[in-house]
Amino acid sequence: MSPDRLRRAAEQMRALDVDALLIGPGADLRYLSGYAALPLERMTLLVARADDIHTLIVPELERPRAEAMDLPDDLEVRDFAETQDPVDLVASACAPLGPSPRLGVGDRLWATFLLAIQHALPTRASYLPASTVTRELRMRKGPEEIDALRRAGQAIDRVHARVPGLLRPGRTEAAVGADIADLILAEGHEQVSFVIVGSGPNGASPHHELSDRALEPGDAVVVDIGGTLDGYGSDCTRDYLVGHAPLGYMDIHATLEAAQQAACDIAAPGVTAEAVDAAARDVLDEAGLGGYFIHRTGHGIGLEEHEEPYIVAGNELPLEPTMTFSIEPGVYLPDRFGMRIEDIVVVTHDGIERLNTGERRPVPAG
Ligand code: ZN
Ligand code: ZN
Ligand code: ZN
């Protein structure tokens, strides 16, 4: 991993007047230290300070796992024994602090740890989400991160290419989903994050997962799948047809393709996240389908499946090169069918590059 992330985090802390970050297991910890820690009831905590003094506190029995990672040189590892209170180590890693320090707390740090830490630190300390600092770093991807996302995208495209062969009348969503999960791993992901197979009317529920419903001729099928590869996520949705398309489906899908294309066309440095959302939404509104597009157009992706920037009305964030996110408009007709087209994209100097390139029109099964 890139060695200068802790240094850049410290810079960002100084700019935002934050004294230290307290980060537990999760994406921020992995981003800053390279350590993919287990989320245990025993405390694991990174104390990263604005003055460039950084400590990783781990249970003694986890020390070998931590040190097996490629930790940055400027990170001191301290461990605590089974009978020792790790909060003392946190206080000493934070010391000396002024009377009213500002501390960034990992967004997903367990409350049990935070409450104990708050007890041990100055009563006039103030706390803010660590993402205030880390989002500024993590939203802009480094070349090695974009490379991982590209490889994850290519891997999930190879899985989608094999989905038509799995869709046969009589097979259940669950059976198809199990095969897809195997393929996600076989194509190089280390983990399956989600498998959505929404057949027929189930496709009208955007996050429908898997059921025992058997595929029938005349089903439209929404397949949204993702995993992680070297820690980075893939996430791609394609639409499939078992037999003939349902009445009205092809026209609506053509409009959805135009909506997704419009969002891809407008996305570029300086364009706001909400303008990208509006570009897709306008096409569907114009066709009278806006009421059936019931979610935002996209989400950032990286070490987390869903992260900043969110492509949604109200987000005035201007896009910048190296930001990565999904563009995934959908149309959901209750009791009939659903459809969604989702690509992960990376912002380039003058537009975007799609990291998913498979067929976006409905693909026939078989
Ligand atoms: Zn989703
Ligand atoms: Zn998705
Ligand atoms: Zn997505």
Side-chain angles (χ1 to χ4, degrees), residues 3-302:
D4 66 340
R5 290 180 186 168
L6 281 169
R7 190 183 51 71
R8 285 189 293 125
E11 234 167 61
Q12 191 67 32
M13 279 185 251
R14 294 193 290 272
L16 296 171
D17 193 26
V18 172
D19 294 289
L21 299 181
L22 309 174
I23 309 255
D28 275 349
L29 179 64
R30 183 156 184 183
Y31 180 82
L32 291 171
S33 74
Y35 183 26
L38 299 170
L40 301 174
E41 76 291 356
R42 297 181 177 98
M43 185 187 292
T44 291
L45 195 80
L46 169 68
V47 180
R49 291 170 38 157
D51 61 3
D52 292 300
I53 297 172
H54 310 303
T55 312
L56 179 64
I57 297 162
V58 298
E60 191 175 21
L61 78 167
E62 292 297 315
R63 188 173 187 121
R65 265 196 87 240
E67 289 185 332
M69 311 277 169
D70 170 31
L71 299 177
D73 294 335
D74 51 350
L75 180 61
E76 190 197 346
V77 180
R78 299 195 60 189
D79 63 48
F80 57 93
E82 205 72 317
T83 55
Q84 200 184 346
D85 186 354
V87 168
D88 298 338
L89 290 182
V90 179
S92 86
C94 289
L97 284 172
S100 50
R102 277 179 26 104
L103 300 167
V105 179
D107 293 27
R108 287 165 188 63
L109 184 67
W110 291 1
T112 44
F113 298 136
L114 176 59
L115 292 170
I117 290 167
Q118 283 181 317
H119 238 283
L121 294 182
T123 47
R124 282 164 58 206
S126 59
Y127 298 87
L128 67 159
S131 57
T132 314
V133 171
T134 57
R135 72 189 285 274
E136 295 301 325
L137 307 176
R138 285 181 46 200
M139 250 191 323
R140 299 166 185 89
K141 267 53 179 186
E144 72 290 354
E145 297 185 279
I146 292 172
D147 181 61
L149 286 162
R150 181 177 286 114
R151 285 182 288 115
Q154 289 165 351
I156 212 70
D157 283 357
R158 292 193 296 273
V159 177
H160 268 298
R162 296 183 57 184
V163 168
L166 305 176
L167 301 174
R168 284 189 300 280
R171 296 202 79 199
T172 64
E173 291 174 358
V176 172
D179 288 347
I180 289 175
D182 290 344
L183 287 172
I184 289 174
L185 297 176
E187 290 297 349
H189 295 82
E190 68 256 353
Q191 185 192 294
V192 179
S193 302
F194 56 91
V195 176
I196 296 175
V197 178
S199 67
N202 290 341
S205 167
H207 278 170
H208 174 81
E209 287 196 5
L210 299 170
S211 77
D212 288 328
R213 184 181 182 280
L215 303 183
E216 296 170 17
D219 276 352
V221 186
V222 183
V223 176
D224 183 359
I225 52 180
T228 62
L229 197 155
D230 292 343
Y232 284 79
S234 61
D235 183 2
C236 180
T237 312
R238 292 295 185 254
D239 299 310
Y240 299 89
L241 290 169
V242 180
H244 60 91
L247 193 66
Y249 180 90
M250 294 307 286
D251 286 345
I252 298 174
H253 203 279
T255 305
L256 181 64
E257 290 162 39
Q260 206 258 0
Q261 184 65 47
C264 289
D265 286 344
I266 197 179
V271 174
T272 62
E274 68 175 0
V276 176
D277 179 79
R281 209 164 293 279
D282 286 350
V283 173
L284 293 168
D285 278 343
E286 200 112 321
L289 294 166
Y292 303 105
F293 176 24
I294 52 178
H295 54 72
R296 64 191 174 211
T297 292
H299 54 83
I301 187 167

